[in-house]
Amino acid sequence: MLNTTAIRQRWRNWRGNWGLDALLLLALAAATVNRFAPEPVSGDVMLYSVMSLQNVTLFFWGQNRLLNVGPALTSLIHDPAANLWANLLFPTLVFFGLLRAWAGVAVRLVSPPDSDGDRQVNTRRARQLFLLLSAIVLLVLKPHAVYEVVVWHVEYPLACLLLLWAHETWFAASGANRLLGPLWLRMLVVALLLGLALGVNFSTVIPALALVGGRMLLQRRLEMRNLGFAGLAVVLFLLWWLVAHRVAGPSGTEYAGFSFATLREGLPLALGSMQNALWLPRLEALLLVVVTLRLWQAWRNRSSWNVQVLWVQILAVLFALGWLLLFAGNAWVQKFAFHYRYFVFAWLAFGIALSLELAKLLAAIPGFWRMTATALAFLWLIAVLIRAPVPLQQYAFAQRVAPIVGMGTTIYAGEFEQTWSAVMAGMLQRQPAFGVTGRAEGNKKGLREHIASALRQDGRLEVGCLQDTVESCLKQVNAYAEQTVRVREARLIAGRKPAWYLVLEQGMPPTPAMTREPAAHWTYRGTDLISLYSQVGYGDLKGIHSLGEEGFLLYGPYRAASQGVYRLQIFGTVQQAGTAWADVVARSGNLRYAQFALQPGEDALVDELVSLPRDEPDVEIRVYVGTGDVVRITGYEWRLQAH
């Protein structure tokens, strides 16, 4: 039977303690979104809201993993602006919720047991630790990493939070067991939490099994509770695996492929990616302070060492290292240039070890110093997060696509990030807006109905083609049109983010000439350059020119190139160049094969040979300009000369 008296007591405690935490979490999450979300542009983040408003599917569009928890919860919000805000707030709230939940566990672990053998949570100290952990996250992560880890990729913190709740419910102390009621109810709750965690991120099965393995190592015996939790995790993982095979998406071998050759290549790239996400001097200074304080405390009081907690820290660090090695050799992670987001579980495991040290320090130091440390953390959070409220219409994604969205187009095609940004911006203006680029298959039915309706009513279809060629955008539209369409009118909208305004009509497009550019030969001329990426350029019919700002004038196209010697020719004019240069890189810029200074002149600005010693999946040709450089790029060629 449920203990209703205990439940009422817990409710009173929640109103007094956890209510304050809820307000703190909401304020912190909202401030983090307002501080870090306006500048980055992410098609995936826009898709959270687009999916929520247009078609909520079991998994993220185009995937057979990443359960659509956030879009499903926010689908009740039909106002586009409120819905987008909710989808930005949800992952951020989950991340800080994970920190708060773990802070309570960490404080309990370092607390002495009571007369019943249970360890109690000091709520005030847990809240202090939570503020310290939140401040540390914003101290050591660079702004783009805060956006990716805290605001964007909810599949990592949400899976960890659900796993933590499942673990705490399954292995609850005796007092909590009485509150949770009969065994069947606890098993049902755990199955639901663990099932959601594995649906959100299949790889959660690894930390789930690691938790059980760690418990058995510490207890030095087998327990049915441990085996039951591990068995439930494996069964639920297999069930999700079967469901995933019935949904279109990447194959299991793409997710799970591992090789030592990939590990040798990927480990330095993964470490480099993580280094680019962290303020390393700040992290090193933080670790030095924590280690110094702990050694000083241990010297003063040898009894402060808790052997069991120390083993938890060691196991957490070993898990972090194991995760790093496992996924640095993973084929799926290699496909995305060993991006640091795939190592968030390792970061969180390392954070467990660090947070337990902080919890021990908070338990040992006098109350005055605890309050001082908490106040400093709170002031740092205010200093980092303070910012005037930014309306959604002033977010970078809306500003960049404003010219084409303002023309009344309802279909958007082209580059992934720009296309879904335009769809979201159109919806914010209360316009019908659909995307036909990557992941559009998730709304195939609604998309086809809209295209057919527009052609029936007006005999034409207005399309925004963003950062791509007219031919490519037409191909994307025809992939979802029931009847083939062709271009009636094409007009270039020049600007920092140039786009094509297309008017399509029913009919067969002209048959292209039967010539195919070999994979070893790329040519970009004039408006072809619009399909590349640019940070500080202005695109028009002649190409891309600088605006007096520092940054990449163009980069991309992230195309594969085999081993060999290539000739690179870059065409244009340079009127003034102080720091302008061009280079050839791969692996998201982590490997540079050549770099050339740009000198004042015209026509062939670069005409050089570049050697690739091995096959590369994502070669880029980049042009960088400094403040005051006057550069126009009209095209370039990349041609294989010899293998």
Side-chain angles (χ1 to χ4, degrees):
M1 296 292 293
L2 290 176
N3 190 334
T4 56
T5 303
I7 291 176
R8 285 196 296 270
Q9 181 61 40
R10 280 292 182 94
W11 170 246
R12 286 193 291 269
N13 291 340
W14 184 90
R15 286 187 302 176
N17 294 317
W18 295 98
L20 176 60
D21 286 330
L23 292 175
L24 185 60
L25 285 172
L26 280 171
L28 192 55
T32 301
V33 169
N34 187 66
R35 172 63 182 83
F36 294 101
E39 283 76 29
V41 175
S42 166
D44 281 341
V45 173
M46 298 301 105
L47 265 174
Y48 288 148
S49 191
V50 173
M51 290 186 295
S52 177
L53 292 166
Q54 292 188 352
N55 184 32
V56 179
T57 52
L58 179 63
F59 296 110
F60 200 86
W61 286 1
Q63 290 280 3
N64 50 9
R65 57 189 183 97
L66 307 181
L67 200 64
N68 254 338
V69 176
L73 292 174
T74 57
S75 61
L76 299 175
I77 305 173
H78 301 294
D79 177 74
N83 186 283
L84 177 57
W85 238 103
N87 276 286
L88 290 169
L89 191 64
F90 174 71
T92 315
L93 197 58
V94 166
F95 183 87
F96 287 113
L98 173 63
L99 294 188
R100 178 60 186 89
W102 169 249
V105 174
V107 168
R108 191 189 73 222
L109 286 175
V110 302
S111 300
D114 58 19
S115 57
D116 295 328
D118 297 336
R119 299 177 187 270
Q120 303 300 320
V121 178
N122 184 315
T123 304
R124 176 178 295 180
R125 196 173 301 161
R127 191 177 296 126
Q128 292 170 336
L129 179 59
F130 163 65
L131 288 172
L132 283 174
L133 294 177
S134 301
I136 288 171
V137 168
L138 300 185
L139 176 71
V140 302
L141 290 185
K142 293 181 179 179
H144 68 88
V146 174
Y147 178 75
E148 289 229 14
V149 175
V150 180
V151 182
W152 177 354
H153 287 286
V154 70
E155 64 268 24
Y156 303 105
L158 180 56
C160 285
L161 180 60
L162 293 168
L163 176 60
L164 178 61
W165 284 344
H167 176 273
E168 291 298 291
T169 304
W170 186 270
F171 297 103
S174 56
N177 278 339
R178 291 192 295 270
L179 173 67
L180 291 170
L183 178 62
W184 68 265
L185 181 59
R186 282 191 290 126
M187 292 183 66
L188 181 62
V189 171
V190 170
L192 178 62
L193 293 171
L194 200 53
L196 285 173
L198 289 164
V200 168
N201 192 328
F202 286 4
S203 60
T204 310
V205 70
I206 300 174
L209 296 178
L211 278 173
V212 172
R215 288 181 63 90
M216 290 192 294
L217 283 174
L218 293 174
Q219 295 169 350
R220 298 182 181 180
R221 65 177 185 273
L222 291 176
E223 277 191 357
M224 287 304 300
R225 289 195 305 172
N226 291 330
L227 297 177
F229 191 83
L232 182 60
V234 171
V235 168
L236 291 170
F237 171 78
L238 293 175
L239 287 175
W240 275 120
W241 193 261
L242 292 174
V243 171
H245 278 280
R246 302 178 66 88
V247 178
S251 66
T253 54
E254 288 185 79
Y255 289 135
F258 175 88
S259 72
F260 286 101
T262 303
L263 175 61
R264 286 192 297 271
E265 172 198 349
L267 186 57
L269 295 176
L271 292 173
S273 178
M274 288 188 281
Q275 180 180 350
N276 291 334
L278 297 169
W279 296 111
L280 281 182
R282 296 180 182 180
L283 178 59
E284 292 164 355
L286 172 69
L287 294 176
L288 180 62
V289 169
V290 172
V291 170
T292 301
L293 289 175
R294 281 296 295 145
L295 290 175
W296 175 75
Q297 184 187 26
W299 176 74
R300 291 192 61 190
N301 182 9
R302 291 183 180 274
S303 63
S304 65
W305 290 101
N306 185 320
V307 176
Q308 187 176 27
V309 172
L310 180 60
W311 271 109
V312 171
Q313 293 173 282
I314 292 172
L315 291 174
V317 172
L318 290 176
F319 175 86
L321 293 175
W323 187 278
L324 173 63
L325 295 175
L326 178 62
F327 284 89
N330 181 269
W332 182 258
V333 178
Q334 181 188 36
K335 184 177 179 180
F336 293 93
F338 302 97
H339 194 277
Y340 58 82
R341 70 174 178 269
Y342 294 102
F343 302 94
V344 168
F345 277 155
W347 289 9
L348 293 174
F350 179 78
I352 287 175
L354 177 61
S355 62
L356 287 171
E357 283 300 311
L358 293 173
K360 287 185 280 188
L361 282 171
L362 288 176
I365 62 178
F368 170 78
W369 292 110
R370 279 200 300 270
M371 292 301 298
T372 301
T374 305
L376 290 174
F378 189 71
L379 290 174
W380 171 253
L381 289 171
I382 292 176
V384 172
L385 297 177
I386 190 167
R387 182 179 189 177
V390 182
L392 289 174
Q393 290 76 10
Q394 294 182 16
Y395 276 42
F397 82 89
Q399 295 289 311
R400 292 183 182 185
V401 298
I404 191 67
V405 172
M407 298 189 69
T409 50
T410 60
I411 297 290
Y412 298 95
E415 194 269 338
F416 181 85
E417 316 289 355
Q418 303 298 322
T419 296
W420 292 116
S421 295
V423 172
M424 191 68 243
M427 296 173 72
L428 289 175
Q429 296 183 16
R430 308 285 181 168
Q431 300 174 1
F434 296 86
V436 293
T437 189
R439 305 197 188 282
E441 63 271 19
N443 193 29
K444 183 185 298 184
K445 181 180 178 182
L447 182 55
R448 285 182 170 175
E449 289 176 352
H450 175 77
I451 293 175
S453 175
L455 290 173
R456 278 196 308 269
Q457 291 179 8
D458 305 322
R460 52 184 271 160
L461 188 66
E462 295 176 279
V463 175
C465 177
L466 299 108
Q467 199 175 317
D468 210 338
T469 63
V470 173
E471 293 77 12
S472 177
C473 289
L474 179 63
K475 183 178 179 181
Q476 290 180 14
V477 175
N478 273 320
Y480 295 96
E482 294 180 352
Q483 295 181 323
T484 306
V485 294
R486 62 189 178 192
V487 177
R488 178 199 297 179
E489 176 188 348
R491 189 192 328 160
L492 180 66
I493 310 300
R496 296 184 66 117
K497 291 295 178 181
W500 290 99
Y501 169 76
L502 306 179
V503 178
L504 307 183
E505 62 183 4
Q506 290 185 17
M508 292 296 296
T511 304
M514 296 302 292
T515 59
R516 177 174 294 180
E517 185 180 85
H521 180 201
W522 315 335
T523 302
Y524 290 87
R525 295 272 190 177
T527 55
D528 293 339
L529 294 171
I530 293 173
S531 64
L532 299 173
Y533 298 88
S534 176
Q535 290 180 338
V536 295
Y538 185 96
D540 55 27
L541 291 170
K542 297 180 180 180
I544 297 178
H545 66 82
S546 60
L547 295 170
E549 301 175 16
E550 181 181 6
F552 285 104
L553 184 61
L554 64 85
Y555 59 102
Y558 301 102
R559 291 178 62 172
S562 59
Q563 176 185 356
V565 177
Y566 291 81
R567 182 183 183 186
L568 172 63
Q569 292 179 292
I570 300 178
F571 306 100
T573 59
V574 176
Q575 296 180 16
Q576 182 176 332
T579 57
W581 47 261
D583 69 356
V584 179
V585 298
R587 310 301 171 96
S588 298
N590 289 310
L591 292 178
R592 173 180 279 168
Y593 286 109
Q595 182 175 354
F596 313 103
L598 297 184
Q599 303 296 335
E602 59 183 31
D603 197 18
L605 305 177
V606 172
D607 190 349
E608 301 284 350
L609 295 179
V610 179
S611 177
L612 297 186
R614 60 181 179 179
D615 296 349
E616 288 293 354
D618 58 351
V619 172
E620 291 182 75
I621 312 298
R622 306 189 302 186
V623 175
Y624 179 88
V625 293
T627 303
D629 290 344
V630 181
V631 178
R632 174 183 285 277
I633 303 299
T634 58
Y636 73 76
E637 288 190 11
W638 171 262
R639 185 186 297 271
L640 180 65
Q641 300 294 298
H643 283 288

